[in-house]
Amino acid sequence: MSVTLLRVAIVVVALGAWELVGRLANPLLYVPPSAALPALGRLLSLQSYPDLGEHLLLTLREIAAAYAMAIAAGLGCGAALGLNRLVGRAYGPILTALYAVPAVVWYPSLMLFFGLDAASKIAFGFLLGFFPITLAVLAGIRQVNPHLVTVARAFGASDLTVFRVVMLPAMLFTLVGGLRTGLALSVIGVIVGEVLGSKAGMGSLINHAYGLFRTADYVALVVVTLALIVGSDAVASVLERRAQRWTE
């Protein structure tokens, strides 16, 4: 209850400060919550942007494709680096160094390769989600107690049994954390890619509203996009808590 009250207090204070600043500042650039709320209602009722549903579905499809590719490539690459000690020691630092590079520097190259259609947004979302998943798999495999693996093999366990019974429970919490981070970054990558250069999607609507100084519509679109991000993270958080209980 105390945590809930503290969260409510933070939200109330933030909205109050936003309302005060929005009323005192330039109305063309700053919109208070009292003006953004009607714009949100018009947006959800499809008055300001009648094709909102199409753009939202496109963004969701791009996120799903980018995240699925990131999971497949991240699990495979992380397993290859973690299960082979020589390969992991050789390529692990390179992967970490590439992850440290700001991801936005890759986007111009992705636009040159894939154009302004959905492919470049999917590729950018994949790129952002790939690294945390791969590193989580690598870290999870490395934290498995090797003595447990040795004992399991001594009792005649096959490679699949060793992975399922010994390695997977030990690395599951780290793996789920990496999957959660990868999901959040894939969502951000797709939306940022749409903002930077796209003809459709939620990011393109945000860019359109901001470019025309439709600040109230811009804020409403950001709120809808924020709800999408928070919702995906909430689902991932539930899965992470279940994985934690299972490993305990």
Side-chain angles (χ1 to χ4, degrees):
M1 182 61 69
S2 300
V3 173
T4 302
L5 292 176
L6 182 59
R7 290 175 178 174
V8 171
I10 293 174
V11 172
V12 170
V13 171
L15 290 177
W18 179 12
E19 182 73 25
L20 180 62
V21 173
R23 289 181 179 274
L24 296 177
N26 186 349
L28 190 62
L29 301 177
Y30 299 92
V31 175
S34 57
L37 192 59
L40 180 60
R42 292 192 300 270
L43 177 67
L44 296 179
S45 61
L46 304 181
Q47 296 180 15
S48 54
Y49 284 96
D51 53 351
L52 173 66
E54 300 175 6
H55 290 276
L56 182 59
L57 289 177
L58 175 61
T59 299
L60 290 175
R61 287 197 299 266
E62 292 173 349
I63 292 172
Y67 187 54
M69 293 169 58
I71 290 177
L75 292 178
C77 184
L81 295 176
L83 296 176
N84 190 314
R85 186 177 298 272
L86 177 62
V87 175
R89 293 182 62 183
Y91 292 100
I94 299 176
L95 190 70
T96 305
L98 291 175
Y99 186 39
V101 177
V104 71
V105 303
W106 304 109
Y107 189 68
S109 299
L110 295 177
M111 285 197 299
L112 289 176
F113 279 111
F114 299 104
L116 294 177
D117 294 328
S120 60
K121 317 307 175 293
I122 294 173
F124 194 46
F126 160 77
L127 186 65
L128 265 66
F130 166 76
F131 288 103
I133 295 175
T134 303
L135 294 176
V137 174
L138 178 59
I141 292 177
R142 285 179 174 176
Q143 74 183 13
V144 176
N145 191 338
H147 299 293
L148 297 178
V149 177
T150 302
V151 171
R153 293 188 185 279
F155 279 94
S158 62
D159 291 339
L160 181 60
T161 303
V162 170
F163 179 79
R164 180 177 57 86
V165 177
V166 178
M167 301 184 67
L168 185 59
M171 62 180 288
L172 184 61
F173 185 66
T174 302
L175 174 60
V176 174
L179 292 174
R180 179 182 179 183
T181 304
L183 174 60
L185 291 179
S186 293
V187 173
I188 293 173
V190 168
I191 295 175
V192 170
E194 291 177 347
V195 172
L196 294 178
S198 179
K199 297 178 288 185
M202 293 299 298
S204 68
L205 293 184
I206 292 174
N207 196 33
H208 175 268
Y210 186 79
L212 295 180
F213 291 100
R214 295 170 55 177
T215 313
D217 292 334
Y218 163 76
V219 173
L221 288 166
V222 170
V223 169
V224 172
T225 305
L226 181 62
L228 173 64
I229 297 174
V230 172
S232 62
D233 184 70
V235 174
S237 177
V238 172
L239 296 177
E240 185 178 24
R241 287 196 297 269
R242 290 187 177 182
Q244 183 179 11
R245 289 198 300 266
W246 187 66
T247 55
E248 292 174 351

